[in-house]
């Protein structure tokens, strides 16, 4: 059973096919309207979402299927039914499960059912975001392979999936984080083992110099709220403002997974500027997820 828990579960060829299918779908979004007729996607959200929830629901609709929003608090899951039992029961009803969870282990346990499971963000990874980002970079640069991308800020779930994209899709990644906020060394090591070109630094300028694309994410991820004040203090030098962005190439683009906090991790000038592609990234969530659903549920 194929899942999308991590980009590392997919080969380079599979991911490149997925991106090619995403571009085809983007050019003709209703071209496969009957592909998933009668099929249902269960969507479990332990955390809030705008893009993930809406893009997956619209993606299913555009394939002729349906998506169902499930809040754990309204399920027996919230009263102690095990994740494995939930997965087995849902597998009898639906054709795929997408879940946004606190612990990555939860999506792993959900994948013990008998339908494909998609990680819609865990504390460790956000593979669907990195897929949309890879399509966005492909559109801008002709190919995602070899693109010099600087990621600044917290070495979090979004950063980890970009590291995986570096391993599988050949993004050349420089990660700039404060000490103590580096990405998980095991994820970096596995990516390097798979041939990824990844540089780590605690100097934001060093990360950005000469980059073709500069990416940042919120300083306080969902679940980290108790550390918000400390994070603002430590991450402040990593704010992407016009001065820092100017160290990148003159035509470099700016990326952010959104939601953004103008004035914290990025200034309004950069986020709303002419080289920002953040709304292309958001749109591309839908096209890449449509391709992912087709591939997982219908075999492509
Ligand atoms: N980027 C992203 O996953 O956004 P949501 O939290 O709105 O789903
Ligand atoms: N790192 C952020 C991403 C939000 C889409 C979080 O986990 O909250």
């Amino acid at each position: 059973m194929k899942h999308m828990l991590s980009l590392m579960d997919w080969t380079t060829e599979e991911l490149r096919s997925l991106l090619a299918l995403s571009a085809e779908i983007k050019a003709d979004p209703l071209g496969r309207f009957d592909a998933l007729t009668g099929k249902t996607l269960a969507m479990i959200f332990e955390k809030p979402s705008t893009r993930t929830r809406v893009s997956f629901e619209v993606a299913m609709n555009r394939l002729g299927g349906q998506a169902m929003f499930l809040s754990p608090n309204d399920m027996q899951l919230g009263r102690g039914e095990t994740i494995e039992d939930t997965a087995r029961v849902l597998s009898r009803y639906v054709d795929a499960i997408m879940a946004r969870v606190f612990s990555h282990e939860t999506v792993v346990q959900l994948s013990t059912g008998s339908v494909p499971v998609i990680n819609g963000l865990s504390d460790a990874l956000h593979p669907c975001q990195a897929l949309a980002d890879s399509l966005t970079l492909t559109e801008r640069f002709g190919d995602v392979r070899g693109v010099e991308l600087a990621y600044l800020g917290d070495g979090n779930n979004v950063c980890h999936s970009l590291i995986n994209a570096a391993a599988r899709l050949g993004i050349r990644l420089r990660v700039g984080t404060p000490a103590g906020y580096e990405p998980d060394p095991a994820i970096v090591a596995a990516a390097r083992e798979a041939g990824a070109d990844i540089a780590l630094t605690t100097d934001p300028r060093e990360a950005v110099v000469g980059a073709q694309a500069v990416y940042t994410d919120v300083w306080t991820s969902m679940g980290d709220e108790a550390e918000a004040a400390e994070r603002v203090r430590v991450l402040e030098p990593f704010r992407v403002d016009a001065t820092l962005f100017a160290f990148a190439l003159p035509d470099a683009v700016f990326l952010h997974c959104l939601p953004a906090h103008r004035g914290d991790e990025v200034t309004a000038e950069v986020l709303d500027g002419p080289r920002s592609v953040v709304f292309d990234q958001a749109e591309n969530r839908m096209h890449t997820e449509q391709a992912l659903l087709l591939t997982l549920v219908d075999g492509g």
Side-chain angles (χ1 to χ4, degrees):
M1 175 66 52
K2 189 92 178 149
H3 303 285
M4 178 51 86
L5 304 187
S6 163
L7 294 184
M8 296 304 273
D9 303 337
W10 291 53
T11 65
T12 298
E13 293 67 32
E14 287 170 334
L15 290 172
R16 287 186 73 86
S17 299
L18 200 55
L19 290 178
L21 181 59
S22 306
E24 262 179 53
I25 287 170
K26 184 168 184 173
D28 183 14
L30 293 177
R32 293 159 189 262
F33 185 67
D34 289 330
L36 299 188
T37 304
K39 307 273 189 189
T40 304
L41 172 71
M43 307 194 297
I44 301 173
F45 282 92
E46 290 182 352
K47 301 174 181 175
S49 168
T50 297
R51 280 144 289 269
T52 305
R53 178 177 175 179
V54 177
S55 59
F56 266 104
E57 187 156 343
V58 174
M60 276 307 279
N61 291 345
R62 288 183 170 189
L63 294 169
Q66 293 197 315
M68 177 187 293
F69 174 81
L70 298 167
S71 162
N73 291 337
D74 300 328
M75 298 168 75
Q76 298 292 4
L77 199 54
R79 296 179 59 247
E81 184 166 22
T82 66
I83 297 162
E84 287 89 347
D85 283 356
T86 303
R88 289 177 75 174
V89 171
L90 289 180
S91 296
R92 299 287 182 110
Y93 300 138
V94 304
D95 303 282
I97 300 170
M98 189 277 290
R100 165 165 288 194
V101 299
F102 283 98
S103 166
H104 187 74
E105 188 54 26
T106 302
V107 284
V108 174
Q109 288 172 354
L110 281 171
S111 70
T112 60
S114 53
V115 294
V117 175
I118 299 169
N119 177 3
L121 181 147
S122 66
D123 56 352
L125 298 171
H126 197 0
C128 298
Q129 184 64 49
L131 275 179
D133 302 337
S134 297
L135 180 61
T136 308
L137 292 172
T138 302
E139 290 170 343
R140 289 284 155 168
F141 299 106
D143 195 336
V144 63
R145 192 189 290 140
V147 173
E148 295 266 0
L149 173 66
Y151 175 91
L152 290 181
D154 184 18
N156 61 12
N157 44 10
V158 168
C159 177
H160 289 157
S161 283
L162 290 172
I163 289 170
N164 290 345
R168 288 289 183 258
L169 291 166
I171 293 171
R172 300 176 70 188
L173 188 62
R174 310 94 170 273
V175 178
T177 68
Y181 290 79
E182 294 94 347
D184 182 340
I187 291 177
V188 176
R192 283 181 171 153
E193 183 103 340
D197 178 354
I198 301 172
L200 303 182
T201 175
T202 51
D203 178 349
R205 289 187 179 184
E206 187 185 319
V208 170
V209 168
Q212 293 172 281
V214 177
Y215 198 129
T216 192
D217 184 16
V218 291
W219 288 343
T220 302
S221 285
M222 293 178 278
D224 293 336
E225 288 79 4
E227 304 168 6
E230 172 67 1
R231 284 170 168 270
V232 170
R233 191 182 68 71
V234 176
L235 284 150
E236 203 267 335
F238 292 80
R239 173 179 302 120
V240 182
D241 58 15
T243 307
L244 185 53
F245 195 34
F247 283 89
L249 292 180
D251 57 352
V253 294
F254 173 74
L255 294 95
H256 192 308
C257 56
L258 302 178
H261 295 84
R262 290 172 176 78
D264 282 349
E265 74 274 6
V266 59
T267 58
E269 185 184 7
V270 172
L271 185 83
D272 301 317
R275 289 189 280 140
S276 171
V277 295
V278 300
F279 296 104
D280 292 336
Q281 290 172 264
E283 177 185 335
N284 285 338
R285 291 291 304 275
M286 186 172 57
H287 307 304
T288 46
E289 287 158 12
Q290 212 172 319
L292 181 60
L293 289 163
L294 261 178
T295 306
L296 287 177
V297 180
D298 194 43

